[in-house]
Amino acid sequence: MKIPEVTANEMREIDRRAIEEYNIPALSLMENAGQRSAEFIIRHYPQSERITILAGKGNNGGDGLVAALSLQKSGKTVEIVLADDKLKGIPLLQLQRVEELKIPVLHSFRQKPDIIIDALLGYSSRGIPRGRIGELITESKKYPAEIISLDIPSGFDLDTGTFYSPSFQGAVVLTFGLPKKYMTGNPGIKKLYLIDIGFPQPIFQSFGIQYPEDIFARGSFNAEIF
């Protein structure tokens, strides 16, 4: 199924217009992203019990924290590994909710995960992952876990479609709203799924983008792109 891809700047404008022109709270977009990603994992990986979420300090990390809440409530054994303690705004709110539910918030792996959720870097990131983020990507390679990246794989260059080192090359990617440029058919991405997080269709249409009418199966919020 071919869906038009967008650049990081176009996605940023879609986010802005959804919030400012259509009055969709950023919190709602984040909660849709996290909850629907969790629903995808619960449905597609029912036998995977131990889930480690790598969370950055930005909105991508916030998406991962929301997913943690839903996965914990479903009965999964969840731990969160923070790349940075300096969360602000909505991601900080999600961290507080996680702590209220007593989900372990750590700085390194404690369990041997079946799934590692990559919520480290979003579409605004640029350059080689460094510091603790780079260390966590490298540390993840020690585990024979399925890597599931939220929106983009950390370490993916949105300007060229190549992967830095370190990166989550080979991840299953759950991308939000629309695929980002160079994602579809990229050999460095194991599988690509589109997650509907509630963007109004007129925004896409203003960019000349039209979803196929049947892209999402009845009652579903995700679709396989390749």
Side-chain angles (χ1 to χ4, degrees), residues 2 8 21 61 64 73 75 86 108 116-117 120 133 137 179 185 188 192-193 201 209:
K2 180 64 175 176
E21 298 179 16
K73 290 175 182 176
K86 298 176 182 178
S108 60
I116 296 172
I117 296 178
L120 290 170
I133 289 177
I137 294 172
L192 179 64
Y193 294 87
Q201 290 300 307
I209 296 168

Side-chain angles (χ1 to χ4, degrees), residues 128-130 133-135 137-138 141 154-156 163-169:
I128 299 170
R130 301 186 186 278
I133 289 177
E135 291 171 359
I137 294 172
T138 299
K141 310 297 185 181
S154 294
F156 179 68
F163 285 84
Y164 293 111
S165 180
S167 70
F168 279 122
Q169 186 171 357

Side-chain angles (χ1 to χ4, degrees), residues 55-58 61-62 65 82 84-95:
K57 67 179 181 178
L65 295 171
L82 289 182
D84 194 316
D85 290 322
K86 298 176 182 178
L87 280 68
K88 298 179 181 178
I90 302 175
L92 178 58
L93 172 65
Q94 302 300 348
L95 178 60

Side-chain angles (χ1 to χ4, degrees), residues 30-85:
M30 181 178 291
E31 291 188 341
N32 285 344
Q35 289 169 6
R36 292 173 182 177
S37 294
E39 290 168 8
F40 175 94
I41 291 166
I42 292 164
R43 182 180 305 115
H44 287 77
Y45 300 90
Q47 305 304 318
S48 297
E49 295 297 330
R50 299 182 304 277
I51 300 178
T52 298
I53 298 171
L54 308 181
K57 67 179 181 178
N59 288 340
N60 194 252
D63 298 335
L65 295 171
V66 173
L69 294 165
S70 295
L71 290 165
Q72 174 89 350
K73 290 175 182 176
S74 78
K76 303 294 186 183
T77 301
V78 178
E79 68 179 10
I80 294 161
V81 179
L82 289 182
D84 194 316
D85 290 322

Side-chain angles (χ1 to χ4, degrees), residues 149-181:
S149 293
L150 303 189
D151 205 26
I152 72 164
S154 294
F156 179 68
D157 187 331
L158 286 169
D159 293 325
T160 65
T162 58
F163 285 84
Y164 293 111
S165 180
S167 70
F168 279 122
Q169 186 171 357
V172 172
V173 180
L174 310 182
T175 196
F176 304 140
L178 287 166
K180 295 8 173 226
K181 195 173 181 183

